[in-house]
Amino acid sequence: MVLDPPRVTEAAHRVAAVILPPVLGFDVSIPLMVFHSVPFYDVRVCTARPGPMPTVGGPDIVVPDGLDAVEGADTVIAVGSGGGEAPPEALDALRKAAAGGARIASLCTGAFVLAQAGLLDGLRATTHWGLAGELATRFPSVDVQPDLLFVEDGGVFTSAGAAAAIDLCLHLIAVDYGAAVAHTAARLAVVPPVRPGGQSQFIETPLPPERGSWLAPTRAWALEHLDRPLTLADLAGHAGTSVRTLSRRFHAETGLSPLQWLLHRRVDRARELLETTGLPMDQVARKSGLGSADSLRKHMAVRVGLTPTAYRASFNRAAAGVSR
């Protein structure tokens, strides 16, 4: 499989995915799949030794670019390594990118590479839960958060395993261009909307989260009725189960309680309305199920860190497809 870049806009945000073997083929595909789904990014995959590369449990890939692709990138993402030692030239490239102001991120075991480069010293970070203990032991200067999907600290982003890596890439799109564009990317990539980084890694369940799971139809129904005052009884009634079973299964599948999940989705709906419409704040609040403009303001401040007015001023043009 040869990794070719897509057509992008002239003022694209440049992303360099630094591939570090051993690597899962699926992990390599994540930044390509997610960022390529909207025309605002120029994605390059690169490695210390360009050319054919075996993957773990998949076909060989051909990585076309060397580490010079990192120079001038707006975002640099470390992908792979399996927790092993990264080539010194890759570590140097990451350090130079960080010193030059690039946004630095890692997917899954790429966190070990950032730690080797010294880019996680004194910061909170995460990786796949099965390797979080090793990361903490090998790099005691890193504040490892084993239960989180993704973490941002000091402008450096780290994610857990494969599904969480998708969430992180969608989150970065939301940071750059707003929630509506990120949700469009999720739909085009045929993945669920981005989950909040504070959600758990689903250590207690082996099932993939929100993918064909038992409560997926109820979550889809709830998304269509966010403007209603949904209760636990409403959700349980739709699922045909008791409130107790609903709460237990909901947390097992999403890492959140039903009401926490609803609140996150309502704030997401409010963000989309702020980006894509000129509705007054009280109407945005009602249509998203947050009730009042005061409630909208409170939850936006907690979840997003901006007032609704400031958020609309920042992202309304981005939702219309204007590159920034």
Side-chain angles (χ1 to χ4, degrees), residues 18-36:
V18 181
I19 311 303
L20 300 128
V23 65
L24 293 168
F26 182 69
D27 287 352
V28 177
S29 72
I30 288 171
L32 295 168
M33 172 184 69
V34 177
F35 290 111
H36 282 179

Side-chain angles (χ1 to χ4, degrees), residues 56-267:
V56 178
D60 290 356
I61 60 175
V62 177
V63 181
D65 294 327
L67 294 172
D68 55 346
V70 175
E71 298 177 10
D74 301 295
T75 297
V76 180
I77 306 175
V79 183
S81 84
E85 296 297 319
E89 55 268 41
L91 299 179
D92 288 342
L94 288 164
R95 293 186 189 106
K96 290 178 182 178
R103 179 171 61 190
I104 304 297
S106 67
L107 307 185
C108 196
T109 58
F112 284 83
V113 180
L114 299 189
Q116 291 169 42
L119 299 179
L120 295 180
D121 289 350
L123 302 181
R124 296 186 310 128
T126 193
T127 188
H128 189 284
W129 64 266
L131 293 172
E134 180 182 345
L135 182 65
T137 299
R138 287 173 55 187
F139 303 97
S141 62
V142 180
D143 182 6
V144 178
Q145 305 286 307
D147 296 333
L148 302 184
L149 291 178
F150 58 84
V151 174
E152 184 275 328
D153 193 4
V156 179
F157 297 77
T158 54
S159 83
I166 295 173
D167 292 312
L168 174 57
C169 291
L170 290 171
H171 174 72
L172 294 178
I173 292 175
V175 169
D176 294 336
Y177 298 105
V181 174
H183 287 178
T184 296
R187 287 191 294 269
L188 292 174
V190 198
V191 296
V194 61
R195 297 170 292 167
Q199 195 165 319
S200 80
Q201 286 193 37
F202 313 99
I203 296 173
E204 297 176 353
T205 174
L207 297 176
E210 301 192 19
R211 293 185 181 179
S213 55
W214 188 61
L215 287 174
T218 296
R219 288 195 294 274
W221 174 80
L223 288 174
E224 295 175 357
H225 299 89
L226 288 178
D227 58 332
R228 300 183 184 180
L230 298 175
T231 66
L232 289 176
D234 294 330
L235 296 172
H238 183 274
T241 190
S242 67
V243 168
R244 181 176 180 180
T245 298
L246 172 92
S247 298
R248 176 176 57 82
R249 294 292 295 267
F250 217 101
H251 192 277
E253 293 179 12
T254 70
L256 297 170
S257 73
L259 296 182
Q260 287 173 328
W261 182 88
L262 277 173
L263 179 58
H264 281 298
R265 293 300 176 230
R266 282 174 167 148
V267 174

